[in-house]
Amino acid sequence: MDTVSLTGKELAAAINADTKQRAAALTETGAAPRLALVVANDDPASAWYVNSLRKAAERLGIACDTVDLGADAGVEAIRAELTARGADAATDAIMLQTPLPAGITLDDVSSAIVATKDVDGVSPLSLGLLAAGLDGFVPATSEAVVELLKHHGIPLSGRHVAVVGRSNIVGKPLAQLLLAEDATVTVCHSRTADLAAITSSAEIVVAAAGRIGLVTGKHVAEGATVIDVGTNEAADGGIVGDVDAESVRGKASGLSPVPGGVGPVTTALLMRHVVDAAQRARA
Ligand code: NAD
């Protein structure tokens, strides 16, 4: 079977074209939409990601402040910065980078991000709104998976989707979004007894575990669609997904590439959220 490459570049470009226009319109009526990126680490992968977000914002006419609190910042300092940005009328959107300093989890600080500016949907309030099916910002990566599937014309209603990974920022919110699309969802995780038995019974498999090569040909049914969310550091310094593309290609009907699949759509949706937040704040 020919395996179609489910790329995200065209979709990201279409979203970005619209975001750029909307950002320009907002800028004309006042100030450019403004995103605050709060960083508390000295991790090179995070620095690379922050830089790519800054560049994306710049291309779209979105102002971007990077607030570097240092890798030894404490819970109180991080919460204080997030609260201050929440109260700052010039800041439309807030994004907190991970990893956080040793011993600090997202749960310790994310409730300090006000939901109206929480463009990556990480706060307990945003996650609760999503679980209840109410309006709020949803995590961009999870939303990107659903948008990528829709863009490539893959139906979700009534279909069995296996999500591999149950984190609060990818797996769990993705399961909620898929339920809202009327899919039947199985969430797999590190304690799932027989991963291959479950994933190979699904019509769509989403790999979001952060483990290189976890999903192989034996995990995928003939003709299934496979979305690779993983972004892992490869031995050569590049990035590589969770799917062993070689063994899945020829068996799956579609596979999203890494890089170039979920990643560009995630960034485009984050920037769209920034403009959404600015538009609502100024309405
Ligand atoms: P995480 O470490 O918080 O969660 C990983 C999840 O995978 C856990 O729920 C764990 O139970 C599950 N898991 C681990 N090993 C497993 C195994 N052997 N079998 C089944 N399940 C297993 O990671 P995360 O933050 O959710 O990110 C997941 C991946 O997605 C990472 O590679 C991350 O870099 C990537 N990611 C990509 C984007 C993007 O825009 N493309 C954004 C965010 C995260």
Side-chain angles (χ1 to χ4, degrees):
M1 163 173 299
D2 276 349
T3 304
V4 175
S5 179
L6 306 173
T7 74
K9 290 185 178 164
E10 301 74 18
L11 174 58
I15 296 168
N16 286 337
D18 179 61
T19 301
K20 193 173 180 175
Q21 270 189 356
R22 291 172 61 209
L26 284 167
T27 305
E28 263 181 37
T29 60
R34 182 171 290 275
L35 166 68
L37 283 171
V38 179
V39 184
N41 65 59
D42 50 15
D43 181 67
S46 165
W48 182 89
Y49 187 53
V50 167
N51 195 35
S52 78
L53 287 178
R54 289 183 64 87
K55 282 194 206 148
E58 197 178 318
R59 278 195 297 271
L60 299 172
I62 292 170
C64 188
D65 302 329
T66 306
V67 188
D68 191 350
L69 300 174
D72 53 3
V75 169
E76 285 319 314
I78 298 170
R79 290 188 66 91
E81 182 61 35
L82 296 171
T83 304
R85 287 287 170 163
D88 173 27
T91 301
D92 295 299
I94 301 167
M95 212 189 142
L96 175 64
Q97 281 307 299
T98 54
L100 293 165
I104 301 180
T105 68
L106 199 54
D107 294 339
D108 296 324
V109 291
S110 60
S111 60
I113 304 175
V114 63
T116 49
K117 301 187 183 185
D118 181 21
V119 284
D120 206 16
V122 296
S123 76
L125 180 53
S126 301
L127 291 169
L129 290 169
L130 172 60
L134 300 172
D135 236 13
F137 284 117
V138 303
T141 305
S142 312
E143 190 182 10
V145 171
V146 173
E147 292 303 315
L148 191 63
L149 287 164
K150 286 185 179 171
H151 172 74
H152 287 284
I154 293 149
L156 289 167
S157 178
R159 303 187 85 206
H160 180 202
V161 185
V163 176
V164 186
R166 61 170 161 186
S167 74
N168 276 348
I169 56 162
V170 188
K172 273 193 227 166
L174 175 58
Q176 302 287 356
L177 290 172
L178 291 165
L179 285 174
E181 297 291 334
D182 299 320
T184 301
V185 185
T186 307
V187 181
C188 309
H189 46 79
S190 51
R191 302 287 176 92
T192 294
D194 189 347
L195 183 66
I198 294 169
T199 55
S200 64
S201 75
E203 289 149 300
I204 300 168
V205 179
V206 183
R211 299 280 181 278
I212 297 174
L214 176 66
V215 171
T216 64
K218 76 167 184 181
H219 294 87
V220 174
E222 192 78 34
T225 298
V226 182
I227 302 293
D228 194 350
V229 180
T231 50
N232 311 293
E233 208 176 314
D236 65 3
I239 66 161
V240 60
D242 288 358
V243 176
D244 174 32
E246 211 167 299
S247 66
V248 167
R249 236 178 255 128
K251 196 168 185 196
S253 58
L255 168 64
S256 71
V258 176
V262 173
V265 182
T266 299
T267 303
L269 289 172
L270 259 178
M271 295 301 151
R272 175 197 267 173
H273 292 178
V274 175
V275 171
D276 288 342
Q279 205 154 14
R280 281 178 213 153
R282 294 166 201 195

